[in-house]
Amino acid sequence: MKKEDLKIIFMGTPEFAVGSLKALVEGGYRVVAVVTQPDKPVGRHGSVLQPSEVKKYALLHQIPVLQPEKMKDPDFLQQLSGFHADLQVVVAFRMLPEVVWDMPRFGTFNVHAALLPQYRGAAPINWAVINGEKQTGVTTFFLDHDIDTGKIIMQRPFAIPDDADVEYVYDGLMRLGADICIDTVDAILKGDGYVETMPQEQMIPVGTTLHVAPKIFKDTCKIDWTQPTKRIYDFIRGLSPYPGAWTLLRHADDDSVVLKLFCTEKCTAVCTGQPVGTVVCQQGALYVNTADGAIRVHALQMAGKKRMNATDFLNGFRDDGCWRVE
């Protein structure tokens, strides 16, 4: 079978998924339809509907778009089966029921932004950086009944520099994910639907701890200043630029403001004898004491304000030695 004859349905929602969809379309593969999340209400009153990045790309290239509220909706299933797809490709989408992933004759594979079985879950890129990993990667695997547990087809590693934030890793994995997506489709094509796979349980050495990657919420993003400096530094870059690690900046008079921190630096202690969380201003720089050193803040954002560098923040900062974060 030629790639022009292989009917593919692509499922995904965010920008990350567009990289793989674009690679398929521009590579001459036959994407017969796209499945993505329903348009999201935005604006002050939720009166404006915002299409997903995948939908925008699909419409631009005149690809039919399906946006089911429920994946088991009978009308949606009828529409989906009507495309008679040979293969389904999933990138950054919701969990699929068996009636959906088992529909194509060649099955359904997922492009996951981690080296499975590590970091199963919704936010693998964030958690890999938060945990200070030196390496992550992308994995393709066939879907089965549980989340991110199917048999692995291919994997590609990706190095994480110590100063990299989520945006850097996201961009790198998006490109790598597009490459492995094409290679996986080609392997399935070459084998006329058959491709060698590896069960994930056979890839877990005895004694290995598996890290998970659950969805991130606002409370997840609050900085714990009692943690070691390196841990705090990794936590902040693992949430930068989005959704952003935050802390509460409080004055002794009980004035307080929420701050998001984006770019920081690990430092040795700058004001010994002061409690954890003490805010220190020295020579135009902004520091926060930690249990074993300090964090220097380079970029931040006050609630309701735009992102700014620390110098601009300090220009309007009342430095009386009575500020702390918590």
Side-chain angles (χ1 to χ4, degrees), residues 8-13 21 25 31-37 52-59 63-68 76 80 83 89 93:
I8 299 172
I9 287 179
F10 185 90
M11 301 185 181
T13 295
L21 176 58
V25 171
V31 180
V32 295
V34 157
V35 182
T36 190
Q37 295 277 35
S52 72
E53 294 302 315
V54 163
K55 179 180 178 179
K56 292 177 185 177
Y57 183 88
L59 293 179
I63 302 171
V65 176
L66 305 180
Q67 296 178 272
F76 164 67
L80 194 66
F83 287 102
V89 178
F93 196 54

Side-chain angles (χ1 to χ4, degrees), residues 251 279-283 285-286 314 316-323:
H251 191 265
V279 176
V280 181
C281 303
Q282 287 187 0
Q283 299 178 337
L286 178 64
L314 289 174
F317 183 65
R318 176 165 57 104
D319 179 20
D320 57 6
C322 298
W323 292 92

Side-chain angles (χ1 to χ4, degrees), residues 235-252:
F235 184 80
I236 293 170
R237 68 190 182 100
L239 296 167
S240 176
Y242 182 83
W246 65 274
T247 189
L248 191 65
L249 177 65
R250 187 180 296 278
H251 191 265

Side-chain angles (χ1 to χ4, degrees), residues 132-260:
E133 300 286 2
K134 300 296 184 184
Q135 178 179 268
T136 184
V138 289
T139 302
T140 53
F141 68 95
F142 283 115
L143 267 62
D144 63 12
H145 294 91
D146 298 312
I147 297 178
D148 300 334
T149 60
K151 293 181 178 180
I152 289 175
I153 307 167
M154 294 181 184
Q155 291 189 320
R156 301 281 166 76
F158 181 83
I160 306 177
D162 183 62
D163 60 349
D165 62 13
V166 160
E167 186 172 42
Y168 172 89
V169 182
Y170 181 100
D171 290 345
L173 293 185
M174 182 167 61
R175 293 189 295 269
L176 195 61
D179 291 342
I180 200 172
C181 175
I182 295 300
D183 290 346
T184 300
V185 172
D186 286 346
I188 293 171
L189 263 173
K190 184 178 179 180
D192 194 28
Y194 172 79
V195 64
E196 290 188 8
T197 59
M198 174 72 73
Q200 291 192 35
E201 54 269 23
Q202 295 183 19
M203 302 178 66
I204 307 174
V206 176
T208 297
T209 299
L210 292 183
H211 299 287
V212 294
K215 187 175 180 179
I216 290 175
F217 299 95
K218 181 180 178 181
D219 289 346
T220 313
C221 301
K222 190 174 189 298
I223 301 168
D224 179 0
W225 292 101
T226 67
Q227 294 286 319
T229 303
K230 176 66 163 64
R231 182 69 178 167
I232 296 170
Y233 169 77
D234 290 338
F235 184 80
I236 293 170
R237 68 190 182 100
L239 296 167
S240 176
Y242 182 83
W246 65 274
T247 189
L248 191 65
L249 177 65
R250 187 180 296 278
H251 191 265
D253 294 338
D254 211 35
D255 294 333
S256 64
V257 63
V258 174
L259 292 182
K260 282 188 176 183

Side-chain angles (χ1 to χ4, degrees), residues 263-312:
C263 181
T264 62
E265 176 185 347
K266 306 184 296 291
C267 300
T268 56
V270 293
C271 193
T272 56
Q274 293 296 319
V276 168
T278 299
V279 176
V280 181
C281 303
Q282 287 187 0
Q283 299 178 337
L286 178 64
Y287 301 88
V288 178
N289 270 5
T290 64
D292 61 349
I295 289 289
R296 179 176 177 179
V297 179
H298 290 285
L300 68 160
Q301 181 180 13
M302 292 187 290
K305 304 291 184 180
K306 293 182 178 180
R307 176 170 168 166
M308 66 182 76
N309 59 45
T311 301
D312 291 339

